[in-house]
Amino acid sequence: MEEFRRSYSRLCKESGSEPQEAVLQQLHQLPRGRLDLATQSLTVDTCRALGKLLQNQTLLTELVLSDCMLSEEGTTLLLQGLCANTVIRFLDLKGNNLRAAGAEALGKLLRQNQSIQSLTLEWNNLGTWEDAFATFCGGLAANSTLQQLDLRNNQISHKGAEELALALKGNAILQQLDLRWNNVGLLGGRALVNCLPSNRTLWRLDLAGNNVPSDVLRAVEQAMEHNQDRHTAFQETQTRTHLLSKEVQYLQEEKSKQFLDLMETIDKQREEMARSSQASAARVGQLQEALKERHSIINALKAKLQMTEAALALSEQKSQDLGELLATAEQERLSLSQREEKERRLEQQEASERESKLLRDLSAANEKNLLLRNQVDELERKLKSQQEELFLTRQELTNISAELKIRVVQAEERLDMEKRRARQNMEDSEKLRFKEVEHMTRHLEESERAMQERLQRLEALRLSLEEELSRVKAAALSERGQAEEELIKARNQARLEEQQHLAHLEEKLRLLAQARDEAQGTCIQQKQTVAEAQARASQLSLQVEGQRRRIEELQQELSNKDQEKVAEVTRVRVELQEQMGRLRAELTAQETLREKVAALERQLKVIASDHREALLDKESENASLREKLRLKEAEIARIRDEEAQRASFLQNAVLAYVQGSPLRSLSPPK
């Protein structure tokens, strides 16, 4: 990898540019077989250098260039370099805003490259230019290695989907295609559905977020399920053929070993037969020598033994009969040995066939057990992953609820702050009013008439405050109803705030009524300060108007805050309902998976019991076959013993005949 880094620096310097520090750092920390340059803004010179390096690179199998802000020229240079690469299996070009030139370069890459198996093109704009996307689809149709393609968020229209459908008709390798969040629509969905019957390898096609009708989605799901079943069946057949080929090879080796052992035993038997035949030939030779000696004696003594010619002829006739008997006995022995050899070979062949059949049955049962165990392990892994996802979703739910609580507490704190501010303003206004009333009590003897007008105005203010109180009550009631529907805690808080507000308003009314009573008691005595009180009353009325406007503004702000709080609570509630729905769906899926696992375990138990019974049956058959072989071997040994005894009897008979013949008495002593 250090050589790769030096080559990159050298190429950048040759092109007259400085190498990027971020790229050098990533190359310095390069893991084995993977180059990750995600979120690095690659320049055109860097892309040119990387394209030249990737042409002959044999160590990298994964290339990640997501969110690299690649230009059209840089993308073209990089993909040109990848066209000659024969090692990279995974290519990620997510979020690079690839356009017309990028789509054409990708089409050329798919036509020429024969190694990339996974291509990620999420968050690009390949579908915006129809001609360039048609070129890309042509490259996809001609490709023979790509198995996984991600085209999410690429602005693919129904025409682009039609081009993809034509490409899928000619492509027999692609297995997974992700088209989520595009603009495929009804026409594009129908085109994809129409191309699926001619494509038997694609087993996953995602069309969510494309405004595709539900019937088209169902048709796509059915086709994908069919192709997935075919894919799983193909994989199973591949694994089975692999296992069967291994088993056949093993059986062939075993058969060759058995054949060699059989040939060795046959050779040994042939050697034994040859030795026995040599021994019998030696004995026959000895007999012939003895006969020759007798014939020489007879020829030498013909003149003297003319009287014994008849006896000699008789003895010759007897010897011929004995020779014929010996030949017939030898032929019978040979035929018996050949027949026994044939029977033994047939029995060995039958035993080997039965053993091979038993081995095949045993291998098939073992293979089924392995497949079922693999399925159970896969289901357990899926169950664990789903449990982890459920735990993560629960964690997210707790985090969201905690964040919601924090937001509610912040909103309540803001609301309390605004209320305290309004209460402080009200208290300031009340203090001001009390000061003015005390000042007026000193001068009310001169302003009785002005005070009466002020009382009228205060009465009007009281009426307006009562109306405002009624409006506040109505608003509080509506807010309380909404809060009761949304959250019990918010309802209690709203009630508390409403009670405090009502208590504050009632206190204000009580103070106003007390001030009115005091003013009525003193207005009779103070009629001289009316003019001065009128001026001050006008000032107070202006101040009261300002305070009232301020109160209205604060109430408006409070209503806005309440509306925001209600909207936030509703949004969070909707999100929680959606998450609960997803969790319920996942729980149902887990329950179905548990049921499937239980069913598979039951099937595994049944298969194991059947397999155990079959093994017991095969063992009993093997035992019976071994017993038959033992009996046959005992019978062969018995026949051999009988033949040996018969041959010894014949030899003894011949020797006895030769020793008891009259020629022996006439022969001279040795």
Side-chain angles (χ1 to χ4, degrees), residues 72 97-101 103 123-134 136 151 153-161 182-183:
E72 294 287 327
N97 197 18
L98 300 182
R99 299 188 180 182
W123 287 106
N124 288 294
N125 291 320
L126 299 178
T128 308
W129 289 268
E130 296 177 358
D131 296 335
F133 192 71
F136 171 76
L151 290 173
N153 293 291
N154 268 277
Q155 305 296 325
I156 299 173
S157 61
H158 64 281
K159 292 184 179 180
N182 285 294
N183 300 319

Side-chain angles (χ1 to χ4, degrees), residues 142 151 413 588:
L151 290 173
E413 287 178 355
T588 54

Side-chain angles (χ1 to χ4, degrees), residues 413-647:
E413 287 178 355
R414 290 179 184 174
L415 186 61
D416 292 335
M417 190 182 295
E418 293 295 332
K419 286 181 179 180
R420 285 196 297 271
R421 191 181 296 167
R423 193 177 296 112
Q424 186 67 30
N425 291 328
M426 291 292 292
E427 288 177 357
D428 293 339
S429 62
E430 288 296 329
K431 288 178 181 179
L432 254 165
R433 189 178 298 115
F434 287 143
K435 287 179 181 179
E436 291 297 330
V437 169
E438 288 176 357
H439 188 67
M440 284 170 63
T441 53
R442 290 193 298 268
H443 300 283
L444 273 180
E445 292 178 355
E446 299 174 357
S447 58
E448 183 179 0
R449 186 176 175 181
M451 188 55 69
Q452 287 178 356
E453 292 177 358
R454 184 187 175 191
L455 286 173
Q456 291 175 359
R457 289 176 184 176
L458 290 173
E459 188 69 20
L461 179 61
R462 186 180 64 81
L463 293 173
S464 65
L465 288 173
E466 288 178 353
E467 290 175 357
E468 184 181 356
L469 179 62
S470 63
R471 285 197 301 271
V472 169
K473 285 182 178 180
L477 288 172
S478 62
E479 291 173 359
R480 186 177 60 187
Q482 291 177 357
E484 283 177 352
E485 291 176 355
E486 297 298 331
L487 206 55
I488 297 172
K489 187 175 179 179
R491 182 181 62 189
N492 295 329
Q493 189 66 27
R495 281 182 180 176
L496 185 61
E497 292 172 359
E498 182 184 356
Q499 289 175 2
Q500 290 177 357
H501 192 58
L502 288 173
H504 183 64
L505 290 174
E506 287 175 359
E507 182 67 22
K508 188 193 295 182
L509 287 174
R510 187 180 62 77
L511 292 173
L512 288 173
Q514 187 177 0
R516 186 190 60 186
D517 294 333
E518 291 175 358
Q520 285 179 357
T522 57
C523 70
I524 298 171
Q525 298 176 1
Q526 299 174 354
K527 293 181 179 180
Q528 297 177 0
T529 59
V530 175
E532 189 178 355
Q534 283 179 356
R536 293 184 179 180
S538 62
Q539 293 178 0
L540 287 173
S541 64
L542 292 173
Q543 291 178 0
V544 169
E545 280 293 328
Q547 294 295 329
R548 187 170 61 188
R549 284 195 296 271
R550 179 63 179 166
I551 289 169
E552 289 176 355
E553 291 175 357
L554 291 173
Q555 288 177 354
Q556 186 68 29
E557 290 180 359
L558 285 174
S559 63
N560 293 330
K561 295 291 184 182
D562 292 337
Q563 289 177 0
E564 290 177 0
K565 182 175 71 176
V566 169
E568 184 71 20
V569 170
T570 53
R571 185 180 65 79
V572 172
R573 184 180 180 186
V574 170
E575 290 178 357
L576 288 175
Q577 287 178 356
E578 292 177 355
Q579 289 181 0
M580 290 299 291
R582 287 197 294 270
L583 289 173
R584 290 194 189 95
E586 290 177 358
L587 285 174
T588 54
Q590 286 182 1
E591 289 177 357
T592 55
L593 285 173
R594 288 195 189 95
E595 292 176 357
K596 289 181 181 179
V597 168
L600 287 172
E601 287 179 353
R602 289 195 295 272
Q603 291 179 2
L604 184 60
K605 288 180 181 178
V606 172
I607 291 169
S609 63
D610 296 338
H611 177 60
R612 198 177 294 109
E613 292 177 357
L615 284 176
L616 293 174
D617 296 336
K618 298 302 180 184
E619 288 177 356
S620 62
E621 289 181 3
N622 284 329
S624 63
L625 288 172
R626 292 192 189 95
E627 185 65 26
K628 288 181 180 179
L629 285 172
R630 190 180 61 77
L631 293 174
K632 289 292 182 183
E633 289 175 355
E635 188 176 358
I636 289 168
R638 183 179 58 77
I639 291 170
R640 284 180 180 173
D641 294 337
E642 289 178 356
E643 288 294 326
Q645 289 176 2
R646 191 179 298 169

